[in-house]
Each structure stands twice: as structure tokens, then as C-alpha cells.
Amino acid sequence: MAKKEKPVLYCRFSVDGRAFSGQIRDQSVDIVEGDPFTGMSPIRLSYPIDRVKFLPPFAPKKIWCVGRNYLNHVKELNNDVPKEPLIFTKPTTAIIGSGDFIRIPSWAGRIDYEGELAVVIGKNGRNIPEERAFEHVKGYSIMNDVTARDLQKNDGQWTRAKGFDTFAPFGPALLLTQEIPLDASIRTIHNGKIVQESTFDMMIFSIPRIISHISRFATLEEGDVIATGTPGGIGPMKVGDLIEVEIEGIGKLRNICSE
Ligand code: MG
């Protein structure tokens, strides 16, 4: 049997102010031409990984999010288990890359991290059946669904609480595979301490269920991103904090909070 090839880990990065597309190896990043949506070809040039500044892996067309998709998170906020996936969106202007600052508004009360697996859509679809959902997936990345918790409660709807500029850290890389192993781990690390830890088999609604559900009311498009919900362990951040979300096989999304 042929040896299974490791999926490509794609990224966007800058070195000395110039932006490139790349493929992450162990300790280096190879420059590539193109992107995962239009096709990529390698260029024989690479940088050591510690010299590059990661950018968001691409500019998402839409950002979909799933609320309350892990039981331990539903319980920690005393919410009811949803009967079907609870969907909201974030504006694309909230996107920042790994290494960029999360701006903490001084007037908005408690601001929480929410580490999440982000599904990247690679093929348009409407009314997608669950059994064909993975055909629409381009790959996986990481998103921190930063949330103004007090505003979320007081507003009733979530657009403002979830939609501040910088409230969608995204990256550092895009793992090009249609199915991520469900036993892969996600971990959020707040100032060096592990605060969230789970695997993807703990989701209440599976990735195919979520894709199928959204596509029953809206067209999923190439370049859409779906943040699939956060495990238990959410908590507040303050100016100066370092927040890292790590997913096995993808890498670590690192951001510092600033004013
Ligand atoms: Mg969330």
C-alpha cells in the first residue's frame, strides 16, 4: 500500500515587510506561488520558521460560528443544550493574524477567549447532505472567537459582542485535508496555563451536521470559514495577557491583548 502523504500545511507570511504564500515544513517555510483555492506551485526558496511573521492564511468570504457546541461549555454558562446548531456570524473586519494584537475595549466589560477549530469551505453548496459535507471542505485552521461576554448577555443578540475589530484571530496555518481526525486535540493556553482542552469528538453537532445545517438556509461559498464552537474553560483576558490556541497538526495561534 502507498504511504499516506502528510497533508500540506499552507500559510501566508511576511518577511521584512513583504508578503508570501508558503508551505510550512518542520523548521522552515517554503515559498509557494498561488494559493489552495486556485492551485499552488513551489518556488525553491525558504525561510527559517522563526524569521517569519504569520498573516491570516486568507481573507475569509464569510465567518460563520457555532454557539454552545461542547457540553462542558454549555454547562459552565448555565445554558440549555441546543436542539439544533446555533449559528451566528462575525464580520470579516474582525480578522487578525497570529502575532497581532487583540484590542481590549476599556468600556465593554468582560472580554473572553474562545479557542475553536475553524473549517474552511472549498466548494460552493446549498442543501448539502451530511454524507457529502466533507466534499465541500478545503481544510482546517484555528480561530479565537473573542467575545465581549457582558455585552452578549445585555444585547440579547450577539453581533456587537462578537464583532469588534480584532475579535477574530485566525491562523497561523491552513491544514489542507477534508477530514481532521476527531481525536486531534485543541488546547487554549492563557499566560502559560492550559485553560481549555478537548478533542473534536466532544462536539455536540458534528462538522458534517453543521455544514449541512448552514447550507439549508444560506449558500456556503468557497472561502467561507466556520468556527465550530468552544470547549469548556472560557475566561476573561486583560491588557498584557498572552493567549494561545493550539490544534494538533495545525500549530499555535498566538495573540497578545493590548489597549
Ligand atoms: Mg464561540
Side-chain angles (χ1 to χ4, degrees), residues 78-102:
N78 293 316
N79 288 310
D80 293 329
V81 177
K83 293 194 173 56
E84 53 180 5
L86 175 59
I87 306 296
F88 61 95
T89 63
K90 285 167 100 81
T92 53
T93 40
I95 291 282
I96 56 172
S98 187
D100 292 336
F101 290 105
I102 299 169

mmCIF file of all heavy atoms in Angstrom, residues 78-102:
data_model
loop_
_atom_site.group_PDB
_atom_site.id
_atom_site.type_symbol
_atom_site.label_atom_id
_atom_site.label_comp_id
_atom_site.label_asym_id
_atom_site.label_seq_id
_atom_site.Cartn_x
_atom_site.Cartn_y
_atom_site.Cartn_z
ATOM 1 N N ASN A 78 -24.386 27.937 32.229
ATOM 2 C CA ASN A 78 -25.771 27.631 32.632
ATOM 3 C C ASN A 78 -26.772 27.802 31.489
ATOM 4 O O ASN A 78 -27.872 28.319 31.688
ATOM 5 C CB ASN A 78 -26.196 28.512 33.818
ATOM 6 C CG ASN A 78 -25.420 28.157 35.069
ATOM 7 O OD1 ASN A 78 -25.240 26.978 35.376
ATOM 8 N ND2 ASN A 78 -24.925 29.167 35.753
ATOM 9 N N ASN A 79 -26.379 27.369 30.283
ATOM 10 C CA ASN A 79 -27.294 27.428 29.146
ATOM 11 C C ASN A 79 -27.917 26.058 28.908
ATOM 12 O O ASN A 79 -27.458 25.049 29.449
ATOM 13 C CB ASN A 79 -26.538 27.893 27.895
ATOM 14 C CG ASN A 79 -26.183 29.368 27.970
ATOM 15 O OD1 ASN A 79 -27.021 30.215 28.262
ATOM 16 N ND2 ASN A 79 -24.910 29.680 27.741
ATOM 17 N N ASP A 80 -28.968 26.035 28.085
ATOM 18 C CA ASP A 80 -29.584 24.764 27.692
ATOM 19 C C ASP A 80 -28.836 24.193 26.485
ATOM 20 O O ASP A 80 -28.313 24.943 25.668
ATOM 21 C CB ASP A 80 -31.059 24.983 27.317
ATOM 22 C CG ASP A 80 -31.883 25.395 28.533
ATOM 23 O OD1 ASP A 80 -31.543 24.958 29.652
ATOM 24 O OD2 ASP A 80 -32.846 26.170 28.361
ATOM 25 N N VAL A 81 -28.833 22.876 26.383
ATOM 26 C CA VAL A 81 -28.237 22.219 25.218
ATOM 27 C C VAL A 81 -29.111 22.533 23.998
ATOM 28 O O VAL A 81 -30.317 22.291 24.029
ATOM 29 C CB VAL A 81 -28.141 20.693 25.435
ATOM 30 C CG1 VAL A 81 -27.584 20.009 24.189
ATOM 31 C CG2 VAL A 81 -27.281 20.380 26.652
ATOM 32 N N PRO A 82 -28.520 23.118 22.941
ATOM 33 C CA PRO A 82 -29.344 23.468 21.778
ATOM 34 C C PRO A 82 -29.886 22.224 21.072
ATOM 35 O O PRO A 82 -29.241 21.173 21.066
ATOM 36 C CB PRO A 82 -28.387 24.236 20.860
ATOM 37 C CG PRO A 82 -27.037 24.106 21.443
ATOM 38 C CD PRO A 82 -27.112 23.463 22.776
ATOM 39 N N LYS A 83 -31.075 22.354 20.493
ATOM 40 C CA LYS A 83 -31.705 21.223 19.789
ATOM 41 C C LYS A 83 -31.189 21.101 18.370
ATOM 42 O O LYS A 83 -31.266 20.050 17.747
ATOM 43 C CB LYS A 83 -33.222 21.391 19.783
ATOM 44 C CG LYS A 83 -33.819 21.271 21.183
ATOM 45 C CD LYS A 83 -35.325 21.093 21.139
ATOM 46 C CE LYS A 83 -35.892 20.798 22.524
ATOM 47 N NZ LYS A 83 -35.545 21.833 23.545
ATOM 48 N N GLU A 84 -30.703 22.194 17.811
ATOM 49 C CA GLU A 84 -30.040 22.156 16.504
ATOM 50 C C GLU A 84 -28.891 23.161 16.569
ATOM 51 O O GLU A 84 -28.843 23.982 17.488
ATOM 52 C CB GLU A 84 -31.025 22.465 15.378
ATOM 53 C CG GLU A 84 -31.802 23.739 15.562
ATOM 54 C CD GLU A 84 -32.776 24.010 14.416
ATOM 55 O OE1 GLU A 84 -32.911 23.160 13.518
ATOM 56 O OE2 GLU A 84 -33.378 25.074 14.426
ATOM 57 N N PRO A 85 -27.939 23.112 15.621
ATOM 58 C CA PRO A 85 -26.789 24.015 15.714
ATOM 59 C C PRO A 85 -27.221 25.480 15.804
ATOM 60 O O PRO A 85 -28.114 25.917 15.086
ATOM 61 C CB PRO A 85 -26.029 23.740 14.403
ATOM 62 C CG PRO A 85 -26.429 22.356 14.004
ATOM 63 C CD PRO A 85 -27.856 22.203 14.459
ATOM 64 N N LEU A 86 -26.593 26.202 16.723
ATOM 65 C CA LEU A 86 -26.902 27.619 16.965
ATOM 66 C C LEU A 86 -25.884 28.444 16.179
ATOM 67 O O LEU A 86 -24.694 28.423 16.487
ATOM 68 C CB LEU A 86 -26.797 27.883 18.468
ATOM 69 C CG LEU A 86 -26.964 29.299 18.983
ATOM 70 C CD1 LEU A 86 -28.328 29.847 18.601
ATOM 71 C CD2 LEU A 86 -26.801 29.324 20.500
ATOM 72 N N ILE A 87 -26.361 29.147 15.150
ATOM 73 C CA ILE A 87 -25.448 29.793 14.196
ATOM 74 C C ILE A 87 -25.482 31.309 14.338
ATOM 75 O O ILE A 87 -26.553 31.908 14.435
ATOM 76 C CB ILE A 87 -25.831 29.424 12.736
ATOM 77 C CG1 ILE A 87 -25.902 27.901 12.558
ATOM 78 C CG2 ILE A 87 -24.875 30.054 11.733
ATOM 79 C CD1 ILE A 87 -24.602 27.172 12.756
ATOM 80 N N PHE A 88 -24.293 31.911 14.344
ATOM 81 C CA PHE A 88 -24.198 33.371 14.245
ATOM 82 C C PHE A 88 -23.007 33.694 13.338
ATOM 83 O O PHE A 88 -22.314 32.786 12.879
ATOM 84 C CB PHE A 88 -24.048 34.022 15.632
ATOM 85 C CG PHE A 88 -22.820 33.603 16.397
ATOM 86 C CD1 PHE A 88 -21.658 34.359 16.350
ATOM 87 C CD2 PHE A 88 -22.823 32.452 17.170
ATOM 88 C CE1 PHE A 88 -20.518 33.981 17.067
ATOM 89 C CE2 PHE A 88 -21.681 32.060 17.885
ATOM 90 C CZ PHE A 88 -20.537 32.828 17.825
ATOM 91 N N THR A 89 -22.808 34.975 13.045
ATOM 92 C CA THR A 89 -21.680 35.346 12.182
ATOM 93 C C THR A 89 -20.828 36.417 12.860
ATOM 94 O O THR A 89 -21.278 37.088 13.794
ATOM 95 C CB THR A 89 -22.150 35.900 10.820
ATOM 96 O OG1 THR A 89 -22.883 37.098 11.042
ATOM 97 C CG2 THR A 89 -23.018 34.910 10.071
ATOM 98 N N LYS A 90 -19.608 36.549 12.382
ATOM 99 C CA LYS A 90 -18.734 37.645 12.781
ATOM 100 C C LYS A 90 -18.374 38.425 11.521
ATOM 101 O O LYS A 90 -18.235 37.810 10.450
ATOM 102 C CB LYS A 90 -17.428 37.095 13.409
ATOM 103 C CG LYS A 90 -17.555 36.555 14.818
ATOM 104 C CD LYS A 90 -16.315 35.756 15.208
ATOM 105 C CE LYS A 90 -15.330 36.516 16.073
ATOM 106 N NZ LYS A 90 -15.685 36.541 17.504
ATOM 107 N N PRO A 91 -18.224 39.739 11.603
ATOM 108 C CA PRO A 91 -17.796 40.492 10.413
ATOM 109 C C PRO A 91 -16.348 40.158 10.061
ATOM 110 O O PRO A 91 -15.525 39.891 10.943
ATOM 111 C CB PRO A 91 -17.926 41.956 10.843
ATOM 112 C CG PRO A 91 -17.885 41.934 12.329
ATOM 113 C CD PRO A 91 -18.434 40.604 12.765
ATOM 114 N N THR A 92 -16.033 40.187 8.765
ATOM 115 C CA THR A 92 -14.664 39.842 8.340
ATOM 116 C C THR A 92 -13.640 40.881 8.804
ATOM 117 O O THR A 92 -12.452 40.593 8.872
ATOM 118 C CB THR A 92 -14.593 39.704 6.811
ATOM 119 O OG1 THR A 92 -15.133 40.885 6.224
ATOM 120 C CG2 THR A 92 -15.399 38.509 6.331
ATOM 121 N N THR A 93 -14.102 42.072 9.153
ATOM 122 C CA THR A 93 -13.187 43.102 9.667
ATOM 123 C C THR A 93 -12.633 42.749 11.054
ATOM 124 O O THR A 93 -11.745 43.427 11.547
ATOM 125 C CB THR A 93 -13.917 44.462 9.758
ATOM 126 O OG1 THR A 93 -15.254 44.227 10.250
ATOM 127 C CG2 THR A 93 -13.993 45.135 8.411
ATOM 128 N N ALA A 94 -13.172 41.687 11.680
ATOM 129 C CA ALA A 94 -12.651 41.261 12.986
ATOM 130 C C ALA A 94 -11.380 40.411 12.845
ATOM 131 O O ALA A 94 -10.689 40.158 13.836
ATOM 132 C CB ALA A 94 -13.717 40.468 13.740
ATOM 133 N N ILE A 95 -11.062 40.003 11.620
ATOM 134 C CA ILE A 95 -9.920 39.094 11.405
ATOM 135 C C ILE A 95 -8.582 39.777 11.699
ATOM 136 O O ILE A 95 -8.322 40.896 11.250
ATOM 137 C CB ILE A 95 -9.916 38.588 9.936
ATOM 138 C CG1 ILE A 95 -11.092 37.647 9.677
ATOM 139 C CG2 ILE A 95 -8.588 37.928 9.579
ATOM 140 C CD1 ILE A 95 -10.924 36.243 10.184
ATOM 141 N N ILE A 96 -7.740 39.069 12.454
ATOM 142 C CA ILE A 96 -6.316 39.429 12.585
ATOM 143 C C ILE A 96 -5.505 38.140 12.489
ATOM 144 O O ILE A 96 -6.069 37.038 12.535
ATOM 145 C CB ILE A 96 -5.988 40.149 13.921
ATOM 146 C CG1 ILE A 96 -6.420 39.294 15.126
ATOM 147 C CG2 ILE A 96 -6.608 41.535 13.963
ATOM 148 C CD1 ILE A 96 -5.945 39.844 16.476
ATOM 149 N N GLY A 97 -4.203 38.269 12.341
ATOM 150 C CA GLY A 97 -3.346 37.096 12.226
ATOM 151 C C GLY A 97 -2.702 36.730 13.546
ATOM 152 O O GLY A 97 -2.821 37.452 14.543
ATOM 153 N N SER A 98 -2.007 35.600 13.533
ATOM 154 C CA SER A 98 -1.216 35.213 14.695
ATOM 155 C C SER A 98 -0.122 36.253 14.893
ATOM 156 O O SER A 98 0.513 36.690 13.930
ATOM 157 C CB SER A 98 -0.599 33.828 14.455
ATOM 158 O OG SER A 98 0.027 33.366 15.624
ATOM 159 N N GLY A 99 0.075 36.674 16.140
ATOM 160 C CA GLY A 99 1.089 37.689 16.428
ATOM 161 C C GLY A 99 0.535 39.103 16.454
ATOM 162 O O GLY A 99 1.205 40.025 16.900
ATOM 163 N N ASP A 100 -0.693 39.282 15.960
ATOM 164 C CA ASP A 100 -1.316 40.611 16.013
ATOM 165 C C ASP A 100 -1.976 40.823 17.386
ATOM 166 O O ASP A 100 -2.232 39.873 18.122
ATOM 167 C CB ASP A 100 -2.379 40.751 14.918
ATOM 168 C CG ASP A 100 -1.757 40.771 13.526
ATOM 169 O OD1 ASP A 100 -0.572 41.133 13.407
ATOM 170 O OD2 ASP A 100 -2.461 40.401 12.561
ATOM 171 N N PHE A 101 -2.282 42.076 17.679
ATOM 172 C CA PHE A 101 -2.849 42.413 18.989
ATOM 173 C C PHE A 101 -4.376 42.318 18.986
ATOM 174 O O PHE A 101 -5.033 42.796 18.071
ATOM 175 C CB PHE A 101 -2.467 43.837 19.402
ATOM 176 C CG PHE A 101 -1.008 43.984 19.729
ATOM 177 C CD1 PHE A 101 -0.130 44.604 18.845
ATOM 178 C CD2 PHE A 101 -0.499 43.487 20.920
ATOM 179 C CE1 PHE A 101 1.218 44.731 19.137
ATOM 180 C CE2 PHE A 101 0.858 43.606 21.233
ATOM 181 C CZ PHE A 101 1.713 44.226 20.335
ATOM 182 N N ILE A 102 -4.917 41.707 20.041
ATOM 183 C CA ILE A 102 -6.355 41.778 20.309
ATOM 184 C C ILE A 102 -6.573 43.067 21.094
ATOM 185 O O ILE A 102 -5.983 43.255 22.164
ATOM 186 C CB ILE A 102 -6.828 40.574 21.156
ATOM 187 C CG1 ILE A 102 -6.585 39.255 20.418
ATOM 188 C CG2 ILE A 102 -8.309 40.728 21.526
ATOM 189 C CD1 ILE A 102 -6.770 38.017 21.303
#
